[in-house]
């Protein structure tokens, strides 16, 4: 779920004409927490947090009851505990969420082959070709929500609009468990009532810069000459936000293809300036990616670091390994050296990500060097087995664990080496 700012004024009805709105954005509500409640119905109505159980862990998802206390995804568990000490904390179970996600995506694929899976809990659909069989986009959206609820048991929110960008914003304003239509002719009126932070690519820093120029809502942003925006934010960001402020988004819905990479990335609303914090985020991402490789019987030969600064400048650095791997220790060794050569951007990192490419199947085999030990991956594979049985938090790298400390004390210094 997006944590971008919302506007109560945008939640109202914008009309009933869905004749020019073929794009649907389906977004599961608090997905990890909703799935956990299927196994723990006794927790319905209580604040639930899904994430790492150590103080250095982060919140992966939380129920709306926990959000009422200010808990949000990507927040440190220490901060989440301070805000909502009575919350029930459950470990992450990625395999379970993936299995439930496949059932959800199966429902969507009954509507149209034009399904673009964005993540485990959200997807875009182009229902242009489904109208004759299933009815209008709004009727299709209602059918999707009903079928997911009855078959899978979890809630979904749907945004209906003329473009992907507007449909995504609409679904975020439909939450929880709702649907919002933005007719084509109402697109600009809908966008105008939003704060600038609701647009893709606008975080706290950019919002503050725009506010310094008197630009706090999309209405003012849309009325600002694009050349001025380019001077304020830079050419790329200025043009990007000018187009979005007018609802311009020509991207089509692109159905998924065979996975050619495995990756994960995190966007931070409060930028990261502490490099030790950045290393810890990347170490966690390396372990996530390596675990996904092993689960799919894949290996990767290319390691990619992605970093975006507060000014939206994005850089990628990559390195090709001598032999393909599915081990986090190999991946992080490369990522750590790539980060070491990358200066902290002005204002800090607003996004960090790890991507693994050059995938090959495990059964393809790999040539071992004379000094390679085929048993070197045994610890990580043993950890996979333990987490599969006892939960994600049962084992973790030492650098991601919290040493014993007195209640209420701050986090310990970050370890400088992965184990």
């Amino acid at each position: 779920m997006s944590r971008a700012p919302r506007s109560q004024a945008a939640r109202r009805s914008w009309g009933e004409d869905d004749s020019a709105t073929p794009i649907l954005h389906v977004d599961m509500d608090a997905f990890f927490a909703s799935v956990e409640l299927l196994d723990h119905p006794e927790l319905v109505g209580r604040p639930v947090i899904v994430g790492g159980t150590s103080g250095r862990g982060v919140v992966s998802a939380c129920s709306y009851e926990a959000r009422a206390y200010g808990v949000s995804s990507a927040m440190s568990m220490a901060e989440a505990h301070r805000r909502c000490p009575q919350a029930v904390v459950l470990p992450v179970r990625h395999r379970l969420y993936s299995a439930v996600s496949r059932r959800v995506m199966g429902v969507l694929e009954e509507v149209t082959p034009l399904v673009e899976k964005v993540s485990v809990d959200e997807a875009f659909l182009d229902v242009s070709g489904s109208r004759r069989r299933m009815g209008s986009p709004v009727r299709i959206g209602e059918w999707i929500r009903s079928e997911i609820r009855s078959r899978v048991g979890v809630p979904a929110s749907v945004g209906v609009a003329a473009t992907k960008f507007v449909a995504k914003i609409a679904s975020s304003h439909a939450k929880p468990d709702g649907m919002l239509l933005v007719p084509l002719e109402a697109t600009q009126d809908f966008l105008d009532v939003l704060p600038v932070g609701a647009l893709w690519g606008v975080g706290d820093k950019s919002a503050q810069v725009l506010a310094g120029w008197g630009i706090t809502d999309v209405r003012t942003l849309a009325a600002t000459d694009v050349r001025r925006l380019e001077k304020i934010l830079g050419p790329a960001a200025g043009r990007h936000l000018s187009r979005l402020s007018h609802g311009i988004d020509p991207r089509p819905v692109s159905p998924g293809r065979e996975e050619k990479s495995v990756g994960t990335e995190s966007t931070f609303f409060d930028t990261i300036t502490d490099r030790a914090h950045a290393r810890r985020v990347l170490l966690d991402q390396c372990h996530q990616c390596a675990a996904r490789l092993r689960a799919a019987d894949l290996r990767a030969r290319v390691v990619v670091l992605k970093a975006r600064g507060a000014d939206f400048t994005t850089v990628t650095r990559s390195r090709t390994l001598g032999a393909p791997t599915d081990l986090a220790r190999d991946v992080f060794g490369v990522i750590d050296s790539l980060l070491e050569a990358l200066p902290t951007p002005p204002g800090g990192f607003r996004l960090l990500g790890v991507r693994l490419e050059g995938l090959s199947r495990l059964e393809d085999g790999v040539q071992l060097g004379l000094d390679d030990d085929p048993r070197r991956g045994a610890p990580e594979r043993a950890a996979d087995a333990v987490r599969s049985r006892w939960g994600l938090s049962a084992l973790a790298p030492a650098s991601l664990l919290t040493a014993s400390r007195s209640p209420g004390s701050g986090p310990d210094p970050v370890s400088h080496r992965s184990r």
Side-chain angles (χ1 to χ4, degrees):
M1 175 180 173
S2 170
R3 294 185 291 125
R6 293 169 177 75
S7 168
Q8 286 298 319
R11 296 178 65 91
R12 67 176 178 85
S13 172
W14 294 93
E16 299 180 356
D17 182 8
D18 63 353
S19 59
T21 56
I23 308 301
L24 274 59
H25 182 254
V26 179
D27 197 356
M28 309 307 297
D29 297 334
F31 183 56
F32 290 4
S34 296
V35 174
E36 290 294 343
L37 291 178
L38 295 177
D39 282 355
H40 301 280
E42 73 279 4
L43 298 179
V44 172
R46 297 179 60 184
V48 174
I49 296 173
V50 179
T53 55
S54 72
R56 290 190 191 274
V58 297
V59 176
S60 294
C62 57
S63 66
Y64 283 90
E65 290 80 6
R67 293 178 189 183
Y69 289 87
V71 180
S72 63
S73 60
M75 177 180 289
S76 72
M77 289 300 300
E79 177 64 21
H81 279 301
R82 282 193 289 269
R83 297 191 180 198
C84 188
Q86 70 273 38
V88 177
V89 179
L90 300 174
V92 179
R93 295 191 288 173
H94 284 296
R95 288 182 183 271
L96 174 61
Y97 311 143
S98 295
V100 176
S101 175
R102 286 191 291 271
R103 295 170 60 193
V104 170
M105 297 302 160
V107 173
L108 304 185
E109 289 163 358
E110 292 181 20
V111 176
T112 173
L114 297 178
V115 177
E116 180 180 340
K117 182 178 178 180
V118 181
S119 66
V120 71
D121 62 349
E122 62 176 311
F124 289 104
L125 292 80
D126 185 335
V127 299
S128 301
S130 305
R131 296 189 182 200
R132 179 173 297 182
R133 178 171 58 90
M134 299 190 67
S136 69
V138 166
R139 180 171 294 181
I140 293 173
E142 291 171 342
W143 183 88
I144 287 172
R145 294 183 59 239
S146 175
E147 291 299 304
I148 291 176
R149 172 70 80 171
S150 62
R151 294 195 216 172
V152 186
V154 293
S157 294
V158 176
V160 184
T163 64
K164 292 168 70 173
F165 160 63
V166 179
K168 182 173 176 66
I169 294 182
S171 70
S172 72
H173 283 81
K175 289 178 175 292
D177 197 15
M179 182 167 63
L180 181 62
L181 163 68
V182 180
L184 177 61
E185 66 274 11
T187 297
Q188 192 64 59
D189 292 338
F190 170 73
L191 293 174
D192 282 348
V193 303
L194 300 175
V196 291
L199 300 183
W200 287 347
V202 179
D204 289 342
K205 300 291 185 182
S206 297
Q208 291 173 10
V209 171
L210 289 169
W213 291 80
I215 303 171
T216 59
D217 55 37
V218 176
R219 184 190 305 276
T220 307
L221 181 67
T224 303
D225 186 86
V226 65
R227 289 169 293 185
R228 171 170 288 188
L229 292 176
E230 290 176 352
K231 291 180 180 179
I232 296 173
L233 299 170
R239 290 192 297 270
H240 168 72
L241 292 184
S242 179
R243 288 192 293 266
L244 291 186
S245 71
H246 293 286
I248 299 173
D249 181 13
R251 299 170 305 155
V253 173
S254 302
R257 297 175 293 275
E258 182 180 357
E259 191 169 45
K260 298 184 182 301
S261 66
V262 167
T264 185
E265 60 186 41
S266 300
T267 300
F268 315 104
F269 279 77
D270 295 321
T271 57
I272 293 179
T273 56
D274 178 49
R275 293 185 70 86
H277 186 183
R279 290 183 74 252
R280 190 165 67 246
V281 169
L282 291 168
L283 175 60
D284 183 53
Q285 292 177 341
C286 289
H287 277 274
Q288 290 183 46
C289 290
R292 287 173 56 190
L293 287 179
R294 294 191 295 271
D297 291 331
L298 294 171
R299 288 184 172 125
R301 192 160 197 145
V302 180
V303 178
V304 182
L305 168 66
K306 179 179 179 181
R308 178 173 300 150
D311 62 352
F312 300 103
T313 299
T314 303
V315 298
T316 58
R317 298 289 185 268
S318 64
R319 184 172 300 169
T320 300
L321 301 172
T325 186
D326 58 5
L327 301 180
R329 60 185 294 183
D330 296 337
V331 176
F332 184 66
V334 174
I335 289 293
D336 198 23
S337 63
L338 293 175
L339 178 67
E340 186 68 26
L342 190 68
T344 302
F349 295 104
R350 75 173 269 104
L351 178 147
L352 288 169
V354 173
R355 189 170 71 252
L356 306 179
E357 301 175 342
L359 304 186
S360 59
R361 291 287 171 186
L362 191 61
E363 60 265 22
D364 294 341
V366 61
Q367 179 68 45
L368 293 175
L370 294 176
D371 57 348
D372 282 342
D373 183 353
R375 300 169 298 175
R376 62 190 297 269
E380 290 188 38
R381 293 185 174 85
D384 290 342
V386 172
R387 294 189 191 104
S388 177
R389 181 171 183 180
W390 301 107
L392 190 65
S393 61
L395 280 177
S399 296
L400 297 179
L401 295 176
T402 301
S404 299
R405 62 181 188 272
S406 59
S409 63
D412 296 328
V414 177
S415 169
H416 295 289
R417 288 293 171 194
S418 168
R419 298 299 296 271

